[in-house]
Amino acid sequence: MARLHVKTDGLKLRSLELRLGANRVGRDPDADFTLPHPSVSFTHCEFILSHDGVLLRDCGSTNGTFVDNEMVKSARLQPGQAVRLGEVELAVESTDVTIAIPKIEREIPRPPVVLPDGGLLCPRHPENQAAFRCPHCREIMCQDCVRMTRIKGGRPLFLCCACHQKCERIGGEKPKAKKGLLGRLEETVRLKFGYGRPKK
């Protein structure tokens, strides 16, 4: 990470390890880097660290900000340059920025156990029989693994716990035959008048 070395003696702070974004420097105790020196302003300057490197910006300091003995309002810094804030001298050691993207490893479930009848046990919940398969990532899941959502007024939608794609039931679903008008009427009459009930 970008770093500046404090060359002036008598200060507790010996280096400035810059973080991404703006790093405020001054006598302010709440600054990112506090330099309690009488020649340094309360908010003296900012070191702005980005993927482009380090940009130094003066914040209206009383005694000025200097790069290689030249007063600047803003300047892009390079390793080896000398920076002076009032009478406090710094040396630019590095302007590198490290942006690390963490590697997220997905847990690989154990292969499912095949039962004598051809059914599968859930790799995550071995006490449950697998009921769903994801056609996208090939995950095998039980009822406890799968994520269910329901569109208003529609049938439930089962989503994979790993990739969140639509799952399918193992063995498929038998579509229910839609009843026509006569079928619904017949069912209503049967319920109303008790037709079709077993005789006592």
Side-chain angles (χ1 to χ4, degrees):
M1 203 53 104
R3 182 173 56 253
L4 289 92
H5 173 66
V6 180
K7 297 177 70 177
T8 302
D9 293 330
L11 295 171
K12 289 183 180 179
L13 190 64
R14 299 316 304 160
S15 66
L16 281 62
E17 301 275 349
L18 303 183
R19 296 177 292 273
L20 282 172
N23 298 262
R24 289 186 307 124
V25 180
R27 288 197 333 271
D28 182 1
D30 293 328
D32 296 301
F33 298 102
T34 303
L35 292 174
H37 192 278
S39 67
V40 175
S41 296
F42 192 74
T43 302
H44 197 101
C45 67
E46 286 181 332
F47 293 96
I48 302 167
L49 180 61
S50 70
H51 66 280
D52 290 330
V54 180
L55 177 69
L56 170 60
R57 189 174 68 85
D58 183 79
C59 295
S61 63
T62 303
N63 295 316
T65 299
F66 299 82
V67 175
D68 292 335
N69 289 321
E70 184 178 334
M71 183 181 280
V72 296
K73 290 297 179 187
S74 67
R76 183 124 349 235
L77 299 181
Q78 300 297 328
Q81 287 185 308
V83 174
R84 185 161 51 86
L85 311 179
E87 295 175 10
V88 175
E89 294 184 1
L90 310 170
V92 181
E93 290 185 4
S94 170
T95 58
D96 295 335
V97 58
T98 305
I99 301 174
I101 299 173
K103 185 179 180 182
I104 301 172
E105 294 186 5
R106 187 166 64 91
E107 181 185 347
I108 300 173
R110 293 169 297 182
V113 176
V114 181
L115 299 172
D117 63 356
L120 301 172
L121 289 180
C122 175
R124 292 177 184 81
H125 303 97
E127 68 278 6
N128 296 342
Q129 189 162 346
F132 294 90
R133 177 185 285 111
C134 176
H136 184 75
C137 70
R138 305 294 181 195
E139 288 284 335
I140 303 294
M141 291 156 283
C142 66
Q143 191 74 38
D144 292 341
C145 293
V146 76
R147 307 285 186 252
M148 189 194 84
T149 184
R150 189 185 294 273
I151 300 170
K152 188 175 181 182
R155 299 174 66 188
L157 186 66
F158 298 100
L159 303 177
C160 175
C161 62
C163 69
H164 310 293
Q165 299 291 324
K166 184 179 177 182
C167 291
E168 57 188 24
R169 282 190 183 274
I170 294 176
E173 280 186 283
K174 294 181 180 178
K176 294 181 181 178
K178 290 188 177 179
K179 294 185 179 179
L181 179 61
L182 289 176
R184 291 199 303 271
L185 183 60
E186 182 183 351
E187 189 177 77
T188 304
V189 171
R190 187 181 296 120
L191 291 172
K192 178 115 178 150
F193 296 104
Y195 294 135
R197 288 181 185 167
K199 293 182 179 179
K200 293 182 181 178

